[in-house]
Amino acid sequence: MNTYAKLLIRLQPSGRQLLQQQQQHEQIASSLPTVFSSVRKASSGTTLEYDTPKAYKLHMLEKGPSTHVSCNREEGLEYYKKMQVIRRMEASANNMYKSKLIRGFCHLYSGQEAVCVGMKAAMDKNDSLITAYRAHGWTYMMGVSVTGILAELTGKKTGCAEGRGGSMHMYAPNFYGGNGIVGAQVPLGAGVAFAHKYRGESNVCIALYGDGAANQGQVFEAYNMAKLWSLPCIFVCENNGYGMGTSTARASANPNFYTRCEYIPGIWVDGMDVLAVREATRFARDWCTSGKGPMIMEMATYRYFGHSMSDPGTSYRTREEVQDVRKSRDPITSFREKVIEANLATDEEFKNIDNEVKKIIEDAENHAQNDPELHVDELYSHVYSMRPENFKIRGCDNFTFKEISK
Amino acid sequence: MKSVKDLVKCHSSIILLRRSFSVTSRALAEKTITIREAITQAMDEEITRDDRVFLMGEEVAQYDGAYKMSKGLWKKHGDKRIVDTPITEMGFAGIATGAAMAGLRPICEFMTFNFSMQAIDHVINSAAKAYYMSAGKVKVPIVFRGPNGAAAGVGAQHSQDFATWYSQCPGLKVISPYSAEDCRGLLKAAIRDDDPVVFLENELVYGQQFPISDEALSADFVLPIGKGKIEREGKHITLASHSIGVKLCLEAAKELEQSGIDCEVVNLRTLRPLDEDIVKTSVKKTHHLVTVEFGWPQCGVGSEIIARICESDAFDYLDAPPIRVTGADVPLAYAKTLEQNSMPQVANVIKSIKKVLNK
């Protein structure tokens, strides 16, 4: 029985006795526990509903997001599918990297899926977003196809940046990447929020950064200006416990990232619960778009892989820790269990979704492995958007110059 | 800091009186404006013309600009268009760059380019490279402007010339104007340009008057980025320079008139993309070349020009090796004599010209 389930039971009237009974029962019966009876009772058969009192912690806020969350069948299946696409896509990237089809840096999002899926579910279609380099999940949620992502990773011209950017530099409308320099994306995101406000739009910019980036000076510079100018910016720390190989305890004198600014309110969110993430994002979005200025969110999440493909991820944490999170806090399996318990969908339906996802990934892999790269002459294009007259670019020697037409 | 800047302003006006200007005899009848007026006007006109243009930087609004470059603009355009920032270069350069990515057209002022070093990651990695990395999806129509290079007596940390650092980077356009006409036309072009532009001004000449034509004063006067100008035609030697170096070349040329040496002065105007054709054409005519800049010698603008001349067919037209006049290869001292001798003077230019011409 996972800790979440135990929590649910304990919070019911005479919960402790129930829990004791349950534990005795568990020793006898090992099939799907009745732990989710609270979920089933609350859900009416057309919705999944439950309470998440421990999903939020507040800083400088009287009231927080609603602790009662729900979704209907359609949403449930959609969120599951999207999280599963990201999980399988990252697994594919892992394999292709090991086969040397992907080069350079590759930072995988596996384990953190509930954050991007939950947040996007609360975003308006004209909201903007910017993140750092662990960006594949976000790139997918902001509208780029799996093919566009995997083919970009393998450097093909069908990649979303024609292979020019690679893992860390993928873009889409309202999505400003994919940024390689730790922390740089935070003031950039505040700048995008500035543009929204300047144009009188009722949109936010979500600027994401990790627990490692949270100590960057420019983050605090961005907090200051965002608060001074009341920018509609949601600063989101995706705290997965480690900045590369350094745990939060070893990097941050104050590891409560949602409290790091004494003049901007903050919310800590259980980042493994997709509906809690969605609810908290709705709250933050309402806050920012009602002229109250910026907000900070800290998503408590976890990454299964190492920092990047060159890091096995076991020199600074135990394999047991990783396995434990997979077993007890995985965002995808725990959500699936809740949806099944609420009778919104069956095991069979989920298996079908898994098969659909498998096909999407296989098709994308096909493109990623077999499509061509850009022609070598293209290395000279897209330097400027407004080209001066007779503009030519020098190649690697005095005999190589390219006249530029685009 | 503020008092040092006030001191600099005093010193710069004194220095302007001391240095000799080439004032034409027509000046009395001709209109003149200062560099400062040219830049203020250009910003004012472009902010009026396009809603998306705004100015952001330290002291640009209520203080009228640390060097008064935005005088009157806040009163006219208000808080939304002229934005005072805290002293956080990395933060506000990032914010301005993000705003440009999202479709606005910011003018981001660095009080001096020395402080741009704190923000240089945003100029290069966030702004310059974005269009290329995104295969054309993300444009960054931003102008980073401010005074570059030495002022007077401000010490080493406040005197660096960043012309070469920025002009090395593909994806940027780097402009280094000389005259008021250059400033008007090129700043307007920079603001209208969809690519990130670094606009390097020079504080020592902010107060200098220049003749200006009616055409150059018109609202849509723009100069092409990437094209230099022959400031003075001549037949014996080419002097290639940018910004305040052009002033030095013109002074040297005037002095050498008496010796019968006729100098052609090339004002590069833009450093990236560099107008190498204008230098080549001139060298093919004069057969001699001296480059003049205030920045440090190693990997300087002069180094680049000479490399390109030597790599091209213009090399065959040279009658002597080309040489450079640059700032001294030291951090800049404060004491007056030391400082003056660390920066190129007319004597350095004349000596170099005579050497090249074997006179």
Side-chain angles (χ1 to χ4, degrees):
Chain A
M1 187 193 309
N2 68 29
T3 45
Y4 183 83
K6 279 187 200 152
L7 177 69
L8 276 181
I9 294 182
R10 224 174 40 237
L11 292 165
Q12 292 181 79
S14 51
R16 283 191 198 279
Q17 287 99 300
L18 268 172
L19 194 58
Q20 271 170 338
Q21 282 169 21
Q22 182 54 40
Q23 278 170 337
Q24 282 164 358
H25 180 76
E26 244 192 308
Q27 278 154 14
I28 305 161
S30 59
S31 58
L32 192 68
T34 54
V35 57
F36 289 107
S37 57
S38 59
V39 168
R40 207 188 297 140
K41 280 193 192 104
S43 308
S44 57
T46 54
T47 59
L48 159 64
E49 286 180 56
Y50 55 93
D51 291 302
T52 60
K54 290 281 175 84
Y56 315 118
K57 288 189 270 197
L58 305 177
H59 167 67
M60 286 176 57
L61 283 168
E62 292 291 309
K63 232 167 50 85
S66 168
T67 52
H68 184 82
V69 297
S70 67
C71 74
N72 61 30
R73 174 187 147 84
E74 196 187 312
E75 289 164 338
L77 294 178
E78 181 199 331
Y79 302 158
Y80 173 83
K81 184 172 181 180
K82 292 208 153 99
M83 288 196 283
Q84 193 70 297
V85 165
I86 295 169
R87 181 67 61 90
R88 295 281 162 87
M89 175 178 75
E90 296 293 73
S92 168
N94 177 49
N95 293 334
M96 287 202 285
Y97 194 95
K98 292 191 167 120
S99 318
K100 300 198 192 298
L101 294 167
I102 299 176
R103 304 176 315 121
F105 294 126
C106 189
H107 308 87
L108 300 176
Y109 201 72
S110 314
Q112 302 184 204
E113 298 87 355
V115 177
C116 64
V117 174
M119 291 198 79
K120 186 66 172 72
M123 283 167 67
D124 175 88
K125 66 176 170 14
N126 293 318
D127 285 345
S128 313
L129 192 131
I130 190 168
T131 186
Y133 46 74
R134 199 174 302 282
H136 309 156
W138 277 113
T139 309
Y140 175 67
M141 293 312 295
M142 294 303 289
V144 179
S145 66
V146 180
T147 301
I149 296 170
L150 291 183
E152 183 62 34
L153 290 176
T154 55
K156 307 302 191 199
K157 72 184 200 188
T158 40
C160 60
E162 299 176 359
R164 290 169 194 278
S167 170
M168 301 185 289
H169 307 292
M170 303 189 196
Y171 306 85
N174 298 325
F175 176 56
Y176 299 91
N179 287 275
I181 307 295
V182 172
Q185 74 280 9
V186 179
L188 291 177
V192 175
F194 182 98
H196 280 309
K197 182 170 183 190
Y198 187 99
R199 286 192 293 250
E201 294 159 359
S202 56
N203 290 107
V204 299
C205 180
I206 298 178
L208 296 127
Y209 53 99
D211 46 282
N215 296 312
Q216 276 264 315
Q218 58 186 318
V219 169
F220 294 89
E221 295 188 16
Y223 286 165
N224 183 43
M225 285 181 272
K227 183 65 180 179
L228 275 177
W229 303 334
S230 253
L231 300 183
C233 189
I234 308 177
F235 297 105
V236 181
C237 178
E238 286 180 302
N239 178 7
N240 58 23
Y242 300 91
M244 209 154 150
T246 307
S247 66
T248 55
R250 288 206 305 129
S252 298
N254 174 2
N256 296 309
F257 301 103
Y258 69 110
T259 67
R260 288 297 285 274
C261 188
E262 72 259 20
Y263 48 80
I264 298 180
I267 311 175
W268 175 99
V269 184
D270 175 0
M272 302 307 244
D273 181 339
V274 67
L275 296 185
V277 169
R278 185 184 73 170
E279 197 61 39
T281 308
R282 280 180 182 154
F283 179 89
R285 208 187 165 277
D286 283 341
W287 180 276
C288 294
T289 52
S290 56
K292 297 201 182 98
M295 179 163 282
I296 295 174
M297 295 173 85
E298 177 186 341
M299 299 287 174
T301 182
Y302 198 84
R303 56 162 161 82
Y304 295 140
F305 286 101
H307 162 72
S308 70
M309 290 306 307
S310 57
D311 169 30
T314 47
S315 60
Y316 47 87
R317 56 186 190 176
T318 60
R319 281 184 215 276
E320 286 72 41
E321 178 189 299
V322 184
Q323 295 299 2
D324 186 54
V325 178
R326 257 196 213 273
K327 262 197 242 117
S328 63
R329 289 175 60 206
D330 186 277
I332 302 179
T333 49
S334 63
F335 186 63
R336 173 183 164 139
E337 278 163 15
K338 288 194 193 94
V339 173
I340 290 176
E341 266 307 303
N343 287 326
L344 290 191
T346 61
D347 234 349
E348 179 75 23
E349 286 176 294
F350 279 112
K351 284 203 174 68
N352 290 337
I353 292 177
D354 287 350
N355 286 332
E356 279 170 35
V357 170
K358 190 154 173 258
K359 282 203 198 71
I360 293 172
I361 306 301
E362 273 168 9
D363 182 52
E365 269 175 347
N366 198 9
H367 280 283
Q369 288 166 15
N370 300 315
D371 285 351
E373 277 192 25
L374 280 178
H375 187 277
V376 70
D377 279 352
E378 294 288 334
L379 78 87
Y380 299 102
S381 42
H382 293 306
V383 174
Y384 289 141
S385 72
M386 280 175 60
R387 282 154 300 284
E389 237 177 72
N390 304 323
F391 181 52
K392 59 185 197 316
I393 295 184
R394 187 183 163 112
C396 293
D397 59 38
N398 196 32
F399 317 103
T400 314
F401 291 87
K402 185 81 164 66
E403 293 274 342
I404 300 305
S405 57
K406 80 165 192 285
Chain B
M1 266 303 299
K2 287 274 163 53
S3 61
V4 169
K5 286 192 168 54
D6 290 333
L7 214 59
V8 163
K9 274 180 258 164
C10 281
H11 279 183
S12 61
S13 36
I14 293 169
I15 280 181
L16 288 171
L17 291 170
R18 241 190 268 127
R19 292 191 182 187
S20 64
F21 299 158
S22 50
V23 177
T24 67
S25 54
R26 293 187 336 268
L28 291 168
E30 214 167 30
K31 256 189 226 147
T32 63
I33 58 169
T34 62
I35 299 273
R36 180 178 285 109
E37 285 164 338
I39 290 174
T40 312
Q41 284 169 12
M43 288 197 287
D44 185 16
E45 287 163 23
E46 295 305 299
I47 289 170
T48 305
R49 174 181 179 268
D50 187 336
D51 277 342
R52 300 167 298 174
V53 179
F54 68 97
L55 172 65
M56 174 179 269
E58 293 157 12
E59 310 298 345
V60 296
Q62 298 187 20
Y63 197 82
D64 275 338
Y67 297 96
K68 305 300 179 217
M69 305 308 288
S70 48
K71 185 162 179 194
L73 297 188
W74 175 67
K75 278 215 179 74
K76 179 172 173 187
H77 298 287
D79 282 330
K80 183 180 170 186
R81 314 297 298 282
I82 314 289
V83 182
D84 274 339
T85 66
I87 309 174
T88 49
E89 272 77 4
M90 197 168 188
F92 72 71
I95 284 181
T97 305
M101 288 177 173
L104 297 183
R105 305 186 75 87
I107 305 166
C108 176
E109 178 177 302
F110 291 121
M111 194 180 279
T112 75
F113 267 94
N114 300 288
F115 317 132
S116 76
M117 261 206 286
Q118 297 191 298
I120 201 166
D121 179 63
H122 284 298
V123 179
I124 309 299
N125 280 321
S126 305
K129 299 177 184 173
Y131 191 71
Y132 189 90
M133 290 193 299
S134 66
K137 288 196 170 87
V138 179
K139 282 191 200 171
V140 191
I142 190 169
V143 176
F144 296 102
R145 55 156 288 273
N148 176 54
V154 292
Q157 292 179 343
H158 285 82
S159 303
Q160 190 165 330
D161 185 321
F162 288 84
T164 343
W165 283 28
Y166 287 120
S167 67
Q168 210 206 19
C169 299
L172 282 183
K173 288 173 179 158
V174 180
I175 298 175
S176 189
Y178 157 64
S179 64
E181 177 185 298
D182 289 356
C183 287
R184 264 193 66 82
L186 289 169
L187 185 54
K188 287 162 83 70
I191 294 167
R192 296 183 193 195
D193 198 293
D194 285 344
D195 294 311
V197 181
V198 169
F199 192 87
L200 303 168
E201 301 160 7
N202 191 292
E203 189 259 328
L204 292 169
V205 293
Y206 274 157
Q208 186 180 338
Q209 299 273 1
F210 282 85
I212 192 112
S213 65
D214 284 333
E215 191 216 341
L217 286 170
S218 65
D220 280 322
F221 174 71
V222 288
L223 287 171
I225 296 176
K227 288 274 173 284
K229 179 186 179 203
I230 305 292
E231 286 294 337
R232 183 192 191 282
E233 280 186 22
K235 43 187 198 290
H236 295 142
I237 186 164
T238 300
L239 305 177
S241 187
H242 69 100
S243 185
I244 196 173
V246 175
K247 193 154 125 66
L248 209 61
C249 293
L250 289 170
E251 287 169 19
K254 188 154 172 72
E255 220 176 286
L256 287 172
E257 268 169 12
Q258 281 124 26
S259 322
I261 296 175
D262 190 25
C263 302
E264 179 147 288
V265 177
V266 178
N267 170 12
L268 292 166
R269 282 180 163 174
T270 302
L271 298 177
R272 172 176 276 270
L274 191 64
D275 187 357
E276 59 186 72
D277 287 340
I278 198 176
V279 184
K280 281 182 199 161
T281 306
S282 177
V283 165
K284 286 179 181 179
K285 182 171 83 166
T286 68
H287 312 292
H288 300 87
L289 173 64
V290 169
T291 66
V292 178
E293 69 200 281
F294 275 58
W296 291 319
Q298 185 155 332
C299 305
V301 174
S303 318
E304 178 62 20
I305 292 172
I306 290 174
R308 291 202 199 191
I309 293 296
C310 292
E311 283 179 334
S312 74
D313 60 342
F315 175 78
D316 298 322
Y317 291 74
L318 286 171
D319 287 343
I323 60 175
R324 303 167 290 169
V325 173
T326 68
D329 201 13
V330 294
L332 195 62
Y334 160 69
K336 190 138 98 208
T337 318
L338 298 182
E339 184 187 58
Q340 278 175 336
N341 286 284
S342 303
M343 300 204 291
Q345 300 173 57
V346 178
N348 299 109
V349 182
I350 289 177
K351 180 175 179 177
S352 304
I353 291 170
K354 287 186 170 166
K355 267 288 190 199
V356 168
L357 290 172
N358 207 22
K359 288 208 174 17

